[in-house]
Amino acid sequence: MAVNDNPRRTPLIAGNWKMNLDHLQAIAFVQKLAWNLKDAKHDFSAVEVAVFPPFTDLRSVQTLVSADKLPLAYGAQDLSAQDSGAYTGEISGGFLSQLECQYVLIGHSERRTLHGEDDEQVAAKVKAALKHNLVPIICVGETAADLELHGPSAVPVAQLKAALSGVSNAADIVVAYEPVWAIGSGQAATPEQAEQVAAQLRNVLKDTLGEDVAARTRILYGGSVKGVNIAGYMREPNLDGALVGGASLDIDEFSSIVRFQKHVGL
Ligand SMILES: O=C[C@H](O)COP(=O)(O)O
């Protein structure tokens, strides 16, 4: 089968840097990434590319992207559910909008496990993102124990339903399916496994937000994605891109993921 080429969903390759690269490193990295992709004649309108640097890098990335008119999107790795006030250490969605972020990651498994974020907080953050005109990338995924106890889709489906409570059907959102056992482990889900869950997630979108939103919402796969395995995911009908962690910190590797079409002979 050829690459998933649903005309309503432009593929998105998103690089989550996690807590890596300071603002000076970020400038050099983004500049090199853009050059690299430009040299390779990457068509940014055919495959969208986004980076998710730490908060402290965002202003530098904004300045560079805007001054050099780079065709890269960027976003934050988290946001506060609150707009402003006495919330030490929190970052408002309003601040992120001011920095011209298009996206924000919400409910990444590292937020859920290391910072105890629950479904209710995730839902509140999704609402905050939409309120500030940010596209939330809602992360869901099961642990190895969940997989054994409940099978692959029960937990991600429940997490997505919870995250969407109170979301209107006009909303622009992205869903990222990231099995926790595949993150940073080198043990990626197979394309068939990821597709099976993505199809269930699309059903949730259909049931909660309607056919139209379900048809236009991108579902990404995340968990040990590399240049050598991206093509398999992109052939699946319900997968529209990838959320990449470790490999997004290596310019050649990330560029190879972005240019997945060359792996499928396009
Ligand atoms: O946000 C990205 C995911 O956590 C995947 O990380 P990874 O590509 O290092 O497995």
Side-chain angles (χ1 to χ4, degrees), residues 7 38 50 57 70 79 85 88 95-96 118 137 141 144 146 153 167 169 192 195 203 225 244 251 256:
K38 203 174 154 210
D57 298 3
L70 303 181
L79 87 170
T88 300
F95 304 164
L96 300 176
D118 60 18
I137 300 187
D146 294 331
S153 45
V167 171
N169 61 5
E192 295 74 22
E195 167 63 21
N203 284 337
V225 172
V244 185
I251 290 176
S256 159

Side-chain angles (χ1 to χ4, degrees), residues 191-215:
E192 295 74 22
Q193 283 173 316
E195 167 63 21
Q196 193 193 339
V197 178
Q200 296 299 319
L201 296 174
R202 202 168 298 285
N203 284 337
V204 172
L205 293 169
K206 207 185 290 177
D207 293 345
T208 54
L209 300 177
E211 295 265 358
D212 187 59
V213 178

Side-chain angles (χ1 to χ4, degrees), residues 16 18 105 108 110 178 182-185 222-225 243-247:
N16 175 12
K18 307 193 178 182
L105 301 180
H108 189 280
E110 286 147 20
E178 297 208 307
I183 295 177
S185 66
S224 299
V225 172
L243 179 54
V244 185

Side-chain angles (χ1 to χ4, degrees), residues 98-158:
Q98 288 280 70
L99 291 172
E100 297 172 316
C101 288
Q102 293 98 312
Y103 295 103
V104 60
L105 301 180
I106 298 181
H108 189 280
S109 75
E110 286 147 20
R111 301 295 315 168
R112 293 181 192 260
T113 54
L114 303 175
H115 302 273
E117 260 182 38
D118 60 18
D119 285 345
E120 210 175 305
Q121 286 167 300
V122 169
K125 289 183 176 194
V126 170
K127 275 186 223 146
L130 293 168
K131 177 176 175 187
H132 292 289
N133 297 317
L134 299 161
V135 175
I137 300 187
I138 303 169
C139 304
V140 298
E142 81 288 359
T143 62
D146 294 331
L147 181 64
E148 209 170 308
L149 274 173
H150 312 288
S153 45
V155 167
V157 159

Side-chain angles (χ1 to χ4, degrees), residues 21-256:
L21 306 182
D22 64 31
H23 75 288
L24 296 175
Q25 293 168 317
I27 295 169
F29 186 97
V30 168
Q31 225 156 20
K32 271 192 222 150
L33 175 65
W35 287 338
N36 204 318
L37 290 171
K38 203 174 154 210
D39 275 357
K41 303 198 178 352
H42 176 66
D43 178 356
F44 289 87
S45 64
V47 178
E48 191 183 349
V49 184
V51 293
F52 293 79
F55 286 127
T56 49
D57 298 3
L58 287 171
R59 173 66 177 151
S60 306
V61 170
Q62 178 201 22
T63 305
L64 173 65
V65 164
S66 142
D68 290 4
K69 298 190 174 37
L70 303 181
L72 290 171
Y74 55 90
Q77 298 173 16
D78 186 28
L79 87 170
S80 173
Q82 313 296 331
D83 287 346
S84 62
Y87 301 102
T88 300
E90 295 284 289
I91 302 290
S92 163
F95 304 164
L96 300 176
S97 284
Q98 288 280 70
L99 291 172
E100 297 172 316
C101 288
Q102 293 98 312
Y103 295 103
V104 60
L105 301 180
I106 298 181
H108 189 280
S109 75
E110 286 147 20
R111 301 295 315 168
R112 293 181 192 260
T113 54
L114 303 175
H115 302 273
E117 260 182 38
D118 60 18
D119 285 345
E120 210 175 305
Q121 286 167 300
V122 169
K125 289 183 176 194
V126 170
K127 275 186 223 146
L130 293 168
K131 177 176 175 187
H132 292 289
N133 297 317
L134 299 161
V135 175
I137 300 187
I138 303 169
C139 304
V140 298
E142 81 288 359
T143 62
D146 294 331
L147 181 64
E148 209 170 308
L149 274 173
H150 312 288
S153 45
V155 167
V157 159
Q159 287 175 336
L160 183 59
K161 282 184 184 163
L164 294 177
S165 63
V167 171
S168 91
N169 61 5
D172 196 3
I173 60 171
V174 174
V175 177
Y177 167 54
E178 297 208 307
V180 180
W181 48 269
I183 295 177
S185 66
Q187 195 202 334
T190 65
E192 295 74 22
Q193 283 173 316
E195 167 63 21
Q196 193 193 339
V197 178
Q200 296 299 319
L201 296 174
R202 202 168 298 285
N203 284 337
V204 172
L205 293 169
K206 207 185 290 177
D207 293 345
T208 54
L209 300 177
E211 295 265 358
D212 187 59
V213 178
R216 67 174 149 85
T217 297
R218 291 171 292 182
I219 300 180
L220 315 182
Y221 166 73
S224 299
V225 172
K226 304 227 165 10
V228 291
N229 62 14
I230 182 66
Y233 303 108
M234 298 311 296
R235 285 194 190 96
E236 298 294 344
N238 283 295
L239 293 173
D240 311 299
L243 179 54
V244 185
S248 75
L249 297 167
D250 177 319
I251 290 176
D252 290 335
E253 189 68 30
F254 190 57
S255 302
S256 159

